[in-house]
């Protein structure tokens, strides 16, 4: 309740129905939450596991938040960044922005590679397994 | 009570505007249509229906624009800030065609008007669209 008085502003920017970005500002920090595109169930699982892996190691990234923002019980974002005034004092703003953009691009690439390698492995395993029935 | 009457008057005005905009769009003048839609935007009113009604009209004009690159040669700078506010409203909808169009226009508008325009549009919490 008190939090809603402190959070001064929020904006949602959507690319389409599946990808959106929530930016919430407060007096000394801002929270950026992103929803990543998940085309199918496999990408859904890979994204969740991979982003959980990263978020658990949030200390290493400094600006990463341990838990993504949950808007309501049914809907939440996939990853959240928390940038405070301390971060802005220690680091350069444009570098922070570049970092976030690069981070998300790398995540996209990584998840595509994970999906590809998983499909390849699945195909190999299935082929080997079914060979015994030929 | 006075506000209610004012809101009705604004909505009637918006309906007049919407007819004019439809005819301009049919004449392949989408930028004129956008100017009409942005003119007399009711930022001072607190009534959500007026804002929604005006948004619908602006949205119609925005979606009718095909040549995004050329639109800024005929759009006056006084409209840039209010257009930016409407673009962010469009981006919040999540509807794919709207967001695509808004992103295209946003890119060109930022090139033309600069980052200050974005900041003015986002930080103005008093006059919202």
């Amino acid at each position: 309740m008190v939090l809603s008085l402190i959070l001064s502003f929020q904006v949602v920017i959507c690319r389409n129905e599946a990808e959106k970005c929530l930016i919430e500002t407060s007096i000394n920090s801002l929270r950026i939450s992103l929803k990543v595109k998940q085309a199918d169930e496999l990408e859904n699982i890979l994204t969740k596991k991979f982003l959980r892996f990263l978020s658990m190691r949030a200390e290493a990234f400094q600006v990463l938040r341990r838990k993504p923002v949950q808007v309501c019980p049914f809907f939440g974002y996939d990853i959240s960044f928390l940038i405070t005034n301390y971060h802005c004092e220690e680091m350069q703003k444009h570098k922070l922005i570049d970092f976030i953009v690069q981070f998300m691009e790398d995540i996209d690439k990584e998840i595509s590679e994970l999906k590809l390698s998983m499909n390849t492995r699945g195909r190999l395993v299935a082929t080997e397994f079914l060979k015994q029935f030929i | 009570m006075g506000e209610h009457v004012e809101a009705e008057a604004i909505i009637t005005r918006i309906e007049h505007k919407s007819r004019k905009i439809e005819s301009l769009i049919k004449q392949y003048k989408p930028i004129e249509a956008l100017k009409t839609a942005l003119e007399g935007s009711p930022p001072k009113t607190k009534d959500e229906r007026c804002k929604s009604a005006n948004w619908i009209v602006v949205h119609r004009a925005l979606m009718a624009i095909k040549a995004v690159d050329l639109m800024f040669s005929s759009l006056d700078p006084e409209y840039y800030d209010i257009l930016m506010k409407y673009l962010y409203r469009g981006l919040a909808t999540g509807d794919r065609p709207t967001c695509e169009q808004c992103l295209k226009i946003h890119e060109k508008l930022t090139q033309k008007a600069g980052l200050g325009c974005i900041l003015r549009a986002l930080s103005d919490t008093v006059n919202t669209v």
Side-chain angles (χ1 to χ4, degrees), chain A residues 8-11 25, chain B residues 81 84-85 88 115-128:
Chain A
S8 53
F9 179 72
Q10 66 177 24
V11 62
T25 65
Chain B
D81 283 356
M84 188 59 92
K85 287 186 188 175
Y88 274 101
L115 296 175
C117 183
I118 297 181
L119 225 33
R120 281 191 298 273
L122 289 182
S123 56
D124 190 356
T125 48
V126 174
N127 305 320
T128 59

Side-chain angles (χ1 to χ4, degrees), chain A residues 9 11-17, chain B residues 88 91-92 94 96 99 122 125:
Chain A
F9 179 72
V11 62
V12 177
I13 302 171
C14 307
R15 195 177 180 199
N16 49 54
E17 301 86 357
Chain B
Y88 274 101
L91 286 171
R96 188 179 290 249
C99 290
L122 289 182
T125 48

Side-chain angles (χ1 to χ4, degrees), chain B residues 25 30 33 59-67 101:
Chain B
I25 290 176
H59 179 241
R60 179 87 185 86
L62 281 175
M63 297 309 285
I65 296 179
K66 299 278 185 283
Q101 182 77 337

